[in-house]
Amino acid sequence: MKLLKNEFEYKMWMTYDFLRLDEGLSPLFDHDLLERELLAQMPEQFPCIAYIVKGPSLFEPDEARFIYRPQLEEWSQLMDSVTT
C-alpha cells in the first residue's frame, strides 16, 4: 500500500512498483503505450491509497486498486465507534 498525493507519485508508483520497470522500458513497452496504460488505470482522485491485488491465477495479471478519502473517513468513523 502506498499513499499517492498527486499524478506524479501515481506514475512513479505504477512504473516502479506495479509494472516493475525500474531498469528501463521493456522492449514490449514503448513510451506511448506506457502513457496510455498509466492514463487508463489512473485513480479517480488524489490523494488515495494504492494497493496491488494479485491475479486469481498465474495467467491473470495483477490489478492496481485505490482507496479514496470517503472510504477512509467511513472506516475511521467505524473504528471510532468500536469500544474495546
Side-chain angles (χ1 to χ4, degrees), residues 1-5 45-51 65-81:
M1 294 181 116
K2 180 163 179 120
L3 174 64
L4 303 176
K5 295 179 260 179
Q45 57 184 301
F46 296 100
C48 63
I49 295 176
Y51 64 102
R65 294 209 184 146
F66 307 97
I67 301 170
Y68 302 104
R69 184 183 304 266
Q71 180 64 60
L72 290 172
E73 289 171 349
E74 180 182 328
W75 288 341
S76 178
Q77 289 175 357
L78 288 170
M79 291 178 75
D80 284 342
S81 69

Side-chain angles (χ1 to χ4, degrees), residues 10-52:
Y10 159 73
K11 287 183 176 183
M12 297 300 290
W13 177 79
M14 282 293 288
T15 302
Y16 297 112
D17 295 337
F18 183 73
L19 297 172
R20 297 181 186 98
L21 296 177
D22 52 352
E23 296 180 15
L25 283 179
S26 159
L28 301 175
F29 274 100
D30 65 23
H31 288 286
D32 290 334
L33 178 60
L34 176 60
E35 188 63 27
R36 284 194 306 270
E37 185 66 23
L38 292 175
L39 290 173
Q41 294 195 44
M42 188 175 297
E44 297 170 11
Q45 57 184 301
F46 296 100
C48 63
I49 295 176
Y51 64 102
I52 299 170

